[in-house]
Every structure is written in structure tokens, then in C-alpha cells.
Amino acid sequence: MRILVVCGAGASSTFVAQRVRHAAHSRGLAYTAFAGTEQSLPIDLDAADVVLVGPHLAHAMERIERDAAARGARVVLLPADIFSDLDGTRTLALVGGATGQDHGIPA
């Protein structure tokens, strides 16, 4: 599974991507996670199965969902406190909820 984490400038999304990738790998899941920006989204969507959207981009969700749906990607708006998920398990649970996969993590 390919997980794209999108934020405004790419800084906070980099941390979230690293954490969710680590959480997935610690459970033996062959997931990749990478960071992107709102501006790089049209290109990055081609390489994503799931798009995690930073809470500060809630205003752009309708457009992001439309663009992602055209490519078969699922979209999740991250909660405002997602940056406190230091081990990535909550974020991984959100991915599982969006894809219908149980990663053994309570959502």
C-alpha cells in the first residue's frame, strides 16, 4: 500500500509519513509512506492508494477527494491532534479504517 501524507509545505507531512511507515513496518506490513504538498498533489496522487490530508487543509477536501477518486485513491482528513501520534499507530489505524483492513490497532 502506498500512503501519501499531504500538508501545506511538506514539513509536518514528512514526520507523519515517517511515523506511519515505521508503525506499518513494525507490524510486517509492506507499506510505503511519503510526504507531499498541496501543490505537488496532482503528480503525487498517481503513486498513492491512500491520501492522508493534514487538518489545516480541510478547506480543500472536496477538491482533493474528487482528484483522488479519479485515480482510485481513498482520502482521510487527519485529526487536529495527529502530530501527537509519535509512534504512528493512530495514523496507521486511520489508514486501516479507510481501507477496511484491521492492523490490530484500536481506532
Side-chain angles (χ1 to χ4, degrees):
M1 174 146 346
R2 302 166 302 172
I3 304 164
L4 168 61
V5 185
V6 178
C7 72
S12 57
S13 59
T14 298
F15 291 114
V16 174
Q18 288 173 342
R19 293 170 182 166
V20 73
R21 185 173 48 244
H22 177 75
H25 289 183
S26 71
R27 284 165 180 74
L29 302 169
Y31 289 7
T32 60
F34 60 103
T37 65
E38 188 175 8
Q39 290 75 31
S40 69
L41 191 59
I43 295 168
D44 294 338
L45 275 173
D46 289 331
D49 300 307
V50 175
V51 181
L52 304 178
V53 180
H56 52 288
L57 294 179
H59 67 278
M61 278 298 288
E62 186 176 320
R63 178 181 47 81
I64 293 170
E65 288 175 327
R66 182 184 63 242
D67 293 346
R71 292 169 173 90
R74 295 175 184 92
V75 179
V76 176
L77 179 63
L78 294 171
D81 66 346
I82 199 63
F83 304 109
S84 66
D85 178 26
L86 300 181
D87 65 0
T89 56
R90 279 187 49 226
T91 308
L92 186 59
L94 291 170
V95 171
T99 61
Q101 299 180 17
D102 180 9
H103 299 124
I105 304 166

